[in-house]
Amino acid sequence: KRARQNAARVAVNKMRRSRIRTYLRAVEEAIASGDQTAAAAALKAAQPEIMRGVTKGVMHKNTAARKVSRLASRVKAIG
């Protein structure tokens, strides 16, 4: 039973991690394009998703905070 539970949990966590990475990729692409408004909007959408990963145990709180902070500073630097 434990093995089945682990398999299900791994699948769920993998989906969550993938979803977070998709949001991060969208922010990266917006930053690369040089459009600050698009990058800011992408970051605003990504931020709750990243923090949701923390509450669901997919990533550590400090890791998420670091990612958001670095992205925010890069978005700010565009302008």
Side-chain angles (χ1 to χ4, degrees):
K1 182 178 177 184
R2 175 52 60 195
R4 290 195 306 271
Q5 287 174 333
N6 282 342
R9 182 61 39 213
V10 164
V12 169
N13 284 340
K14 194 178 283 188
M15 284 190 299
R16 287 192 177 123
R17 207 172 298 120
S18 172
R19 187 175 162 90
I20 291 168
R21 286 187 185 132
T22 302
Y23 276 91
L24 289 176
R25 195 174 308 114
V27 178
E28 291 289 344
E29 287 170 1
I31 289 170
S33 73
D35 184 5
Q36 189 175 18
T37 55
L43 179 61
K44 195 172 181 181
Q47 209 165 342
E49 201 59 44
I50 294 167
M51 290 308 173
R52 192 168 297 123
V54 173
T55 60
K56 300 299 183 182
V58 176
M59 63 169 48
H60 195 272
K61 187 162 100 174
N62 290 355
T63 305
R66 184 180 67 239
K67 284 183 185 296
V68 169
S69 173
R70 287 180 181 174
L71 283 172
S73 63
R74 284 173 62 198
V75 167
K76 192 175 179 184
I78 294 171

